Each structure stands twice: as structure tokens, then as C-alpha cells.
Amino acid sequence: MVNFALFGAGRIGRMHAENLARRSDAKLLYVVDTKPEAARALAEPLGARQATQEQALGDKNVHAVLIASSTGSHADLSIAAAQAGKAIFCEKPVDLTLEKVNQCIAAVKKAKVPMFVGFNRRFDPSFRNLKQRVDAGAVGDIEQVIITNRDPGLPDLRFLATSGGLFLDFTIHDFDMARWLLGEDPVEVFAWGAVLVDPRVRTEGKDIDTAMLLLRTRSGKMCHINNTRRAVYGYDQRIEVFGSKGMLRAENLTPTSVESFGAQATCADNPWPNFQTRYTAAYAAEMASFIQSVEKKKPAEIPPEDSRKVLLLCEAALQSSQSGKPVRIKN
Ligand SMILES: NC(=O)c1ccc[n+]([C@@H]2O[C@H](COP(=O)([O-])OP(=O)(O)OC[C@H]3O[C@@H](n4cnc5c(N)ncnc54)[C@H](O)[C@@H]3O)[C@@H](O)[C@H]2O)c1
């Protein structure tokens, strides 16, 4: 049994807390939030208690922390948790700066605790099956990867202002998928970013809402990523891997598979509407992986070093979108 303290009672914190409550090998003891009333409202119906950071980290019955608070707090909380000897599950991104990510990696290494970064898409059953087939040689030599990641609608503009921006908050998942699927680190990034959805994204969110990117690895494999914060038909999540022997494609998932055939048209469900519904299985599976690593004292399946590699891609994308030129990465 792994006992947890959860940091952050927002959108993703709620989803993780409810997930833990369904598990027989985990128990949520505490919820910590800078808004104690939000922590209490989430904790009490699940049989947990609202606590301060000091109470949660000071309790020796807490084996692991689940960091789902706002992005800017992840690194400091991870370092404090490592120093308290707790295993760490941290939502992406670990931090917006390389310096802080490096500090986290050092703290975790020193404390000899596992740290897992929540790149949940690697645990989606369809994407995982696709990856297993790629590794088994189904497409031969990989030549091109296409990743489509479109949000259904804008998040709260206040969230955007603290998120680190589209590349660090959103494209970061695609960079992780790109590295995972290509099996190599990209060495060059070209990115275009724009505000096409809502001008308030620029004025209030200090961000962009639309992007297209190209990545290239040292051996010449290519990847194309496309992002937007508004797809009127739902949460658009697709992957295509093309190679010398063919192609593998993972399509959108829908709430039902029912199709309606009329005189004029055939209709089917739109994709799932948001990350909570689309990646339900992935969030459960990533938590199972983390709990296994804690129980069996094994390294985490997605360590913070991966987050560091992804941050290099995010920084290159930002630089490229500002300069209009491709940016080389020194891995
Ligand atoms: N993996 C995914 O699919 C996914 C999806 C959504 C969000 N996220 C990540 O999860 C994090 C939270 O996102 P969200 O959408 O839930 O945000 P949110 O704004 O809904 O919730 C964040 C919560 O953290 C609390 N908080 C802030 N600083 C804190 C601190 N020092 N200690 C404890 N609580 C603190 C806030 O009061 C708020 O309740 C972000 O880093 C985001 O990038 C990941």
C-alpha cells in the first residue's frame, strides 16, 4: 500500500485524487493547496484530510507525493519532497527553466527516491500498442512521424499566463511523444506560432494559441507536430508513424462507436471532449507504473532526465518561433 499526499486541488489534481481513491494499492492521506478550502473540498469526500506542506512532508506514513499544483511550484515541491525521502510523481513540466530541472535531478539522485514525470500519453493503450509495433519493426525504418494535438477550447486565460506558454505547457506532450516514437533525440526544431483563435490569448494570456513545428533527428528522421487551442469538434489526438515497410496510425477515440446513416450523410460521434475523458486509461496506467516502481523500489518509467530533454526542445521551439529560423540543439 502506497500512502500519498497530493499537492494541488485543481483540474488535474482532482482527476488524480479520484483515480487514487479507486485503487486498492494506494491511499490518499492528505491534500495540500495554497487555497486550503479547495484542498478540504477535494480531500474530505475521499476520506483524506487537508494539510499544510509541512504536515504532509513531515508525516512518515506518507510514502509518496503527487505534485499536481501550478507549474511554477513543481520543482521546489519536488526538491522538498526528495529531501523528506518521499517518492515523487510530478505533473509535467518539472519546471520552465533548465537550472531548476537540473536542481531537481540532483536532489532526487542524492535522496535516492524515484521521481516520475506525468507524460501520460505514453500510457494510452492505443499509443502504447502503436509504439510496441514500431519497436517490433512493423513500419520498418521510421522516416516520418505526424502528431496532431488540438485542444477543444481555450483554458482559463489566467491559467495561460502561469503555464509557461503553448510550447512548454501543451506541445511538451508532443515533444515527449516525438522522442519516444522516433527513438532518437531531435537535433533541429523549426516552429511557427500565432494567435488565430482569440486575441485575448496575446493580450491577457501573453501566449500563442496555434503552432506548427518540424523536428529532425541526427539520422534524418522527421516529425511534424500541429497544435491549436480550439478544435470545435473535440479533443483531437492522432498519431501517424510512417516508414520503409508501411504506416501505423492511431485515430481519435469517441464515446461510442454508433454511426447514423441517413439519405444525405453518415454521422458518428465527435472525439472525446477533453483530456480528462480521452486519457482516463492513460492516467490510471501511469499511476499503476509509478506505484509499481515505489513498491518494487525500481527506477521510475519516465524519470526527470526525460523532462530535461523535452525542455531543450521547448526552448528551441520558442526561440525558432521568435526568430523565424530553425534552431539546432546540442544534446
Ligand atoms: N498531464 C496532463 O495531461 C495535464 C493536464 C492538465 C494539467 N497538467 C499540469 O498540471 C498542473 C496543474 O494544472 P491544472 O490544470 O490542474 O491547474 P489548476 O490551476 O486547475 O490547479 C492548480 C492548483 O494548484 C494550487 N497550487 C498552486 N501553488 C501551490 C503550491 N505551492 N502548493 C499546493 N498547491 C498549489 C492552486 O491553488 C490550484 O488549486 C500544471 O503544471 C499543468 O501543466 C497536466
Side-chain angles (χ1 to χ4, degrees), residues 228-300:
T228 168
R229 288 287 196 185
R230 183 225 41 229
V232 294
Y233 49 86
Y235 189 40
D236 191 1
Q237 301 289 293
R238 288 174 284 142
I239 284 176
E240 195 174 293
V241 180
F242 173 88
S244 56
K245 286 192 186 160
M247 178 178 78
L248 285 167
R249 192 163 70 187
E251 277 296 331
N252 276 314
L253 299 183
T254 53
T256 79
S257 61
V258 178
E259 290 176 306
S260 154
F261 295 79
Q264 307 298 330
T266 304
C267 293
D269 283 7
N270 275 333
W272 284 106
N274 50 37
F275 65 83
Q276 294 96 328
T277 49
R278 169 61 182 83
Y279 287 118
T280 309
Y283 291 123
E286 69 174 355
M287 197 50 66
S289 166
F290 173 66
I291 288 171
Q292 280 264 315
S293 70
V294 177
E295 281 186 331
K296 303 219 159 100
K297 301 198 187 323
K298 286 195 321 202

Side-chain angles (χ1 to χ4, degrees), residues 87-319:
I88 302 158
F89 178 107
C90 182
E91 264 307 335
K92 44 59 61 176
V94 171
D95 194 68
L96 304 176
T97 67
L98 269 180
E99 192 191 348
K100 273 279 176 80
V101 174
N102 288 340
Q103 285 172 14
C104 254
I105 292 172
V108 164
K109 209 174 257 176
K110 187 167 176 213
K112 296 192 175 64
V113 291
M115 178 167 178
F116 180 107
V117 184
F119 286 115
N120 55 295
R121 294 182 193 185
R122 291 199 212 178
F123 294 85
D124 173 70
S126 297
F127 296 164
R128 214 165 170 86
N129 178 278
L130 182 146
K131 165 71 171 161
Q132 281 161 358
R133 294 192 202 199
V134 167
D135 288 348
V139 298
D141 296 327
I142 299 171
E143 292 162 3
Q144 297 178 332
V145 172
I146 300 177
I147 301 174
T148 296
N149 176 21
R150 298 187 177 126
D151 239 354
L154 284 176
D156 192 314
L157 292 170
R158 281 168 306 184
F159 172 84
L160 287 186
T162 62
S163 70
L166 188 83
F167 296 127
L168 275 141
D169 176 60
F170 192 64
T171 322
I172 192 168
H173 281 292
D174 308 316
F175 288 137
D176 180 65
M177 292 300 282
R179 293 185 65 238
W180 189 57
L181 292 168
L182 290 162
E184 266 185 68
D185 276 308
V187 292
E188 193 167 7
V189 175
F190 178 65
W192 267 335
V195 176
L196 303 180
V197 173
D198 187 331
R200 290 174 308 156
V201 170
R202 179 183 293 116
T203 52
E204 292 176 42
K206 311 287 177 223
D207 200 1
I208 53 171
D209 55 35
T210 308
M212 278 207 168
L213 302 96
L214 293 173
L215 317 180
R216 189 177 61 79
T217 69
R218 185 164 285 115
S219 72
K221 295 173 191 169
M222 297 167 203
C223 174
H224 164 65
I225 296 170
N226 69 87
N227 298 146
T228 168
R229 288 287 196 185
R230 183 225 41 229
V232 294
Y233 49 86
Y235 189 40
D236 191 1
Q237 301 289 293
R238 288 174 284 142
I239 284 176
E240 195 174 293
V241 180
F242 173 88
S244 56
K245 286 192 186 160
M247 178 178 78
L248 285 167
R249 192 163 70 187
E251 277 296 331
N252 276 314
L253 299 183
T254 53
T256 79
S257 61
V258 178
E259 290 176 306
S260 154
F261 295 79
Q264 307 298 330
T266 304
C267 293
D269 283 7
N270 275 333
W272 284 106
N274 50 37
F275 65 83
Q276 294 96 328
T277 49
R278 169 61 182 83
Y279 287 118
T280 309
Y283 291 123
E286 69 174 355
M287 197 50 66
S289 166
F290 173 66
I291 288 171
Q292 280 264 315
S293 70
V294 177
E295 281 186 331
K296 303 219 159 100
K297 301 198 187 323
K298 286 195 321 202
E301 203 170 329
I302 309 186
E305 286 79 0
D306 285 30
S307 188
R308 186 183 184 283
K309 293 269 174 76
V310 162
L311 183 55
L312 293 175
L313 297 174
C314 296
E315 288 185 340
L318 193 58
Q319 213 183 318

Side-chain angles (χ1 to χ4, degrees), residues 10-12 33-34 68-71 73-74 91-92 120 169 283:
R11 290 186 306 167
I12 196 92
D33 197 293
T34 39
S69 46
S70 311
T71 295
S73 62
H74 292 184
E91 264 307 335
K92 44 59 61 176
N120 55 295
D169 176 60
Y283 291 123

